Amino acid sequence: MTEPMRAPKGTFDTLPPASAQFLAVRDTLTAPLRRAGYGYIETPTFEDTAVFSRGVGESTDVVSKEMYTFTDRGGRSLTLRPELTAGLMRSFIEHRLYSGALPVKLWAVGSAFRYERPQAGRYRHFTQVDCEALGVDDPALDAEVVALAVQGFRDLGLRDFELQLTSLGDATCRPQYRELLVAFLAKLDLDEDTRRRAEINPLRVLDDKRPEVQAQLDDAPLMVDHLSDSTKAHYDAVREHLTDLGVSWTEAPRLVRGLDYYTKTTFELVHSGLGSQSAIGGGGRYDGLSAALGGPDLSGIGYAVGVDRTLLAVQAEGLDIATSAGVQAFVVPLGAEAKRLAVTLVGQLREAGISADTVYGDRGLKGAMKAADRSGASHAVVLGDRDLAEGVAQLRDLRSHEQVAVPLGELFDRVRATVGA
């Protein structure tokens, strides 16, 4: 017998009925973006590899170790997206969205892929909600983006999360800070791979999670202590706007994030109930990303939130996410004539905006009613031969178990009025 196929290691299937919670999290996280006037964008799941190597950064673990890269039949190097921002920026440039009114505000939901060691809260395939505001460098816009991320978590009812905030400077102050950091790192006991990484982007070393590296970084210079006057003023303004918006944060001067394109405002959202994989979202400003991908020298800011990890946070807090029933009315036919009427009634209810379903296959009353209970419907319509002979159907409330006979000529209107109330 052929061995059954399984999902690749590090991936998972999202299945009903649990998938209703996944959808509820996804939709709640995107609702603040829709209310704020952000437009939906969808880009390919794979891009030219250069979109990520140039955009995300050669020194990152994402590019150097974690990307799923392959050569297609035309000899082109393509990569499954490890994150969404670089692809959205590529689209912004290609379609010249910058030629219209700025900022361009976009949101997306999609799968991303990274070759990582699978563990709780970290998979090789995951789903992100992505928000981007492109083309304007304004601390008020930074604050709006950060507040939208926070609002999504608040709308879910999450309480045990923390916003960590810092500034990573810009081209006016990063070179001088880089010199200080490189000189500091040169004195440490680092392996050759880490030293090579430090040569490309020394900030990456601050993001190294290994205890033997972190133990040597206590006295490392911090970017937030070496901001230029203009960058410090930008960061101060962001914090003022966040205060006005009622958003609290924790200063996180060692926060680096895993991508090279971040400048100025940088943030991460962490949840105390998720153990070592505590990050549930994050982002920041990326003033050089457009130029790095061949576009105009325009600024942007955005974030990504993991739907899968946010769902884990919801479960960790024991929140009961309200999800609408998959079906409102379930029709139970008993016999061939009743089956034809059931199919017709279900079709009419669906056309009227009522979610409805019926049983398929040869099932008796007991099995059919079990299917009705599993559907989540509030009411069932039972059509039996004796009922049809009398010109009626039984409308049963599946919560109270009360049942009334309804004339067939009034059945559609009665069901629609009852379950739609």
Side-chain angles (χ1 to χ4, degrees), residues 81-93:
R81 61 187 180 200
E83 55 94 53
L84 274 62
T85 298
L88 267 62
M89 182 61 84
R90 187 272 311 153
S91 181
F92 171 79
I93 296 167

Side-chain angles (χ1 to χ4, degrees), residues 92-404:
F92 171 79
I93 296 167
E94 179 178 346
H95 300 286
R96 300 179 62 86
L97 299 183
Y98 53 82
S99 62
L102 299 176
V104 175
K105 297 182 174 183
L106 305 170
W107 70 273
V109 177
S111 296
F113 308 87
R114 297 183 190 178
Y115 191 87
E116 299 183 284
R117 183 172 63 86
Q119 53 186 297
R122 185 180 291 273
Y123 303 99
R124 294 175 177 174
H125 155 242
F126 50 94
T127 302
Q128 291 186 332
V129 168
D130 194 270
C131 162
E132 312 292 344
L134 308 174
V136 172
D137 183 357
D138 185 336
L141 186 60
D142 293 24
E144 173 183 283
V145 168
V146 174
L148 288 171
V150 170
Q151 189 62 52
F153 295 132
R154 287 177 174 174
D155 290 349
L156 284 167
L158 289 172
R159 299 176 60 87
D160 299 335
F161 70 92
E162 177 183 72
L163 169 63
Q164 298 181 347
L165 188 70
T166 194
S167 174
L168 290 180
D170 64 4
T172 66
C173 51
R174 285 271 278 270
Q176 295 89 338
Y177 170 69
R178 178 190 173 96
E179 291 182 9
L180 290 172
L181 184 57
V182 167
F184 174 83
L185 296 176
K187 303 173 184 177
L188 304 186
D189 180 18
L190 303 175
D191 59 80
E192 288 303 314
D193 285 344
T194 305
R195 291 204 176 279
R196 280 193 295 270
R197 178 181 296 182
E199 292 174 3
I200 301 172
N201 184 354
L203 276 174
R204 293 265 60 79
V205 181
L206 299 182
D207 194 41
D208 196 312
K209 301 299 190 296
R210 291 174 296 175
E212 63 270 24
V213 176
Q214 283 296 317
Q216 302 180 66
L217 297 176
D218 288 344
D219 297 324
L222 301 174
M223 182 71 251
V224 73
D225 295 328
H226 296 85
L227 299 177
S228 65
D229 290 342
S230 62
T231 308
K232 185 177 184 304
H234 184 281
Y235 189 42
D236 288 342
V238 171
R239 290 180 288 187
E240 288 174 356
H241 289 303
L242 288 176
T243 299
D244 294 340
L245 290 168
V247 175
S248 59
W249 69 90
T250 299
E251 293 289 339
R254 294 183 179 276
L255 178 63
V256 175
R257 301 279 297 154
L259 310 174
D260 275 359
Y261 49 61
Y262 288 120
T263 58
K264 293 182 181 173
T265 307
T266 305
F267 63 97
E268 191 161 271
L269 292 137
V270 298
H271 192 277
S272 61
L274 300 186
S276 61
Q277 302 301 325
S278 61
I280 52 179
R285 181 161 286 284
Y286 38 87
D287 290 351
L289 181 57
S290 177
L293 295 178
D297 188 15
L298 291 174
S299 184
I301 182 167
Y303 67 78
V305 170
V307 178
D308 320 285
R309 286 200 193 173
T310 302
L311 179 54
L312 291 177
V314 166
Q315 294 168 345
E317 292 196 28
L319 299 176
D320 182 16
I321 302 178
T323 56
S324 60
V327 171
Q328 294 168 277
F330 196 94
V331 184
V332 176
L334 303 173
E337 184 180 352
K339 185 66 167 285
R340 290 191 62 187
L341 179 56
V343 170
T344 301
L345 178 60
V346 166
Q348 291 173 333
L349 290 170
R350 289 172 177 172
E351 288 179 7
I354 302 296
S355 55
D357 200 3
T358 187
V359 66
Y360 295 97
D362 297 325
R363 297 194 195 181
L365 178 61
K366 185 177 180 180
M369 293 308 299
K370 284 184 177 180
D373 289 334
R374 287 194 299 268
S375 74
S378 61
H379 290 75
V381 179
V382 182
L383 300 168
D385 290 338
R386 183 180 302 174
D387 294 320
L388 294 182
E390 297 176 1
V392 299
Q394 302 296 327
L395 181 58
R396 181 180 299 182
D397 188 321
L398 294 175
R399 296 160 300 189
S400 67
H401 304 294
E402 295 179 357
Q403 183 169 295
V404 294

